[in-house]
Amino acid sequence: MGLLWTIAEVLVALILIIASFLLTAIVSEAYRRRHNNTHVDAQAIFEDPNSLKQVPCPHIHDPAEKYLSLVIPAFNEEYRLPGALDETINYLQQRAAKDKSFTYEVVIVDDGSADATKRVAFDFVKKYTVDNVRIILLGRNHGKGEAIRKGMLHSRGELLLMLDADGATKVADLEKLENQIHAVAKKEFCLGESAASDSSFRISDMPLAAFGSRAHLEEKALATRKWYRNFLMKGFHLVVLLTAGSGIRDTQCGFKMFTRAAARKLFTNIRLKRQV
């Protein structure tokens, strides 16, 4: 019996050590990124495939030119990107055909890919025109978070959606996030007929965000994963809960929508905030 208690105590101690290590690493990285902007100094490059010239990207502080921007970070995605783009652009074209006021752009952020991701993306630019599909070239790999941030900073939409290149989420589900943002805007900001008839009003001026979630699929996922993956997942969720709070059930779902005002606050770095 004494041996079992000793083993249990060792296991508990190991769990606490691992949790402490993860929490320390997350806090340290957050502090480093907050106080050191060297990782975001690289200029985002937009390239026109017709002239092959590099031109400056639009910025999040500019007025919106489109209704919806879809930001897709891509790192070595030459095989999965075509299917995701075909589905995405087909949906957008069908919606634009039904609603002439619906305008959109797809912003692909090539995060320093070593494969043919850039070529695949440019094929779509040539096919659907540079006004609808754009590529930001980061030059070297910065990581998914920075790729998303760069895409958000250089998008033109009133609403900005981030989604993964693997097509894990159906693009049509963006309407669920879109509807939630409009519903919250009407409820929280008392938007009635007078606001809707005001030509100066734009949803982009309100700092709102809607997050997709796969939490309802967790039970099925737990049943198919190895026990150690479930253990690591639960440990990570605990760290996120302690650092971010309990309001968001699925922080890792790569399907999130922001208004332009919210994106300005979330993705603009400290240095740019002070210059505005």
Side-chain angles (χ1 to χ4, degrees):
M1 189 68 178
L3 178 61
L4 291 177
W5 275 110
T6 301
I7 293 174
E9 290 174 352
V10 170
L11 289 176
V12 171
L14 287 174
I15 292 172
L16 291 176
I17 291 172
I18 293 172
S20 299
F21 175 79
L22 290 174
L23 181 59
T24 301
I26 291 172
V27 172
S28 298
E29 179 64 13
Y31 181 85
R32 184 186 71 82
R33 286 178 173 265
R34 182 177 180 83
H35 296 281
N36 179 7
N37 289 317
T38 57
H39 69 294
V40 297
D41 284 341
Q43 175 104 20
I45 299 298
F46 166 65
E47 193 168 287
D48 186 340
N50 295 320
S51 64
L52 296 180
K53 292 182 179 179
Q54 295 179 347
V55 296
C57 297
H59 198 272
I60 191 67
H61 287 289
D62 299 332
E65 300 176 15
K66 300 281 187 178
Y67 173 70
L68 180 65
S69 292
L70 291 84
V71 176
I72 304 177
F75 177 66
N76 295 338
E77 292 285 2
E78 66 171 304
Y79 298 111
R80 296 194 295 183
L81 188 60
L85 287 177
D86 280 332
E87 179 190 352
T88 297
I89 295 175
N90 285 340
Y91 163 80
L92 295 171
Q93 287 184 324
Q94 290 175 11
R95 184 166 170 181
K98 296 177 182 178
D99 181 2
K100 298 303 180 182
S101 66
F102 178 77
T103 56
Y104 66 88
E105 67 171 350
V106 177
V107 180
I108 306 161
V109 186
D110 183 358
D111 190 22
S113 298
D115 63 359
T117 295
K118 175 181 174 181
R119 177 186 57 77
V120 170
F122 271 122
D123 287 342
F124 279 85
V125 178
K126 294 174 183 177
K127 182 177 180 180
Y128 295 104
T129 77
V130 72
D131 186 53
N132 292 324
V133 182
R134 295 188 165 193
I135 305 171
I136 294 175
L137 305 173
L138 297 189
R140 66 178 180 84
N141 182 247
H142 290 263
K144 182 179 179 181
E146 179 60 14
I148 292 171
R149 196 187 76 90
K150 276 294 197 317
M152 292 288 175
L153 287 180
H154 301 292
S155 294
R156 297 175 288 166
E158 293 187 58
L159 297 177
L160 298 91
L161 176 76
M162 55 175 278
L163 68 163
D164 293 333
D166 59 3
T169 307
K170 295 295 183 183
V171 67
D173 286 343
L174 71 85
E175 295 180 27
K176 298 177 182 179
L177 305 184
E178 179 186 1
N179 292 338
Q180 284 298 312
I181 285 180
H182 281 281
V184 172
K186 291 179 180 179
K187 180 179 180 180
E188 298 296 329
F189 295 91
C190 301
L191 297 181
E193 294 182 359
S194 58
S197 61
D198 184 357
S199 59
S200 64
F201 164 75
R202 304 188 79 170
I203 192 68
S204 60
D205 296 330
M206 300 184 176
L208 299 171
F211 293 179
S213 175
R214 297 162 299 189
H216 60 289
L217 302 174
E218 183 175 349
E219 183 176 344
K220 180 179 179 181
L222 288 173
T224 57
R225 286 199 193 105
K226 297 292 186 180
W227 68 268
Y228 55 85
R229 291 192 62 192
N230 290 329
F231 174 77
L232 292 173
M233 181 194 71
K234 291 295 185 181
F236 176 78
H237 286 176
L238 176 61
V239 173
V240 172
L241 177 64
L242 294 174
T243 56
S246 59
I248 302 174
R249 293 185 63 193
D250 184 2
T251 60
Q252 302 307 297
C253 181
F255 199 69
K256 299 177 174 67
M257 181 177 285
F258 309 88
T259 62
R260 196 167 186 81
R264 287 191 186 112
K265 292 185 176 183
L266 290 170
F267 298 104
T268 304
N269 64 45
I270 297 173
R271 184 162 31 192
L272 288 175
K273 282 182 179 178
R274 290 174 178 171
Q275 291 176 349
V276 173

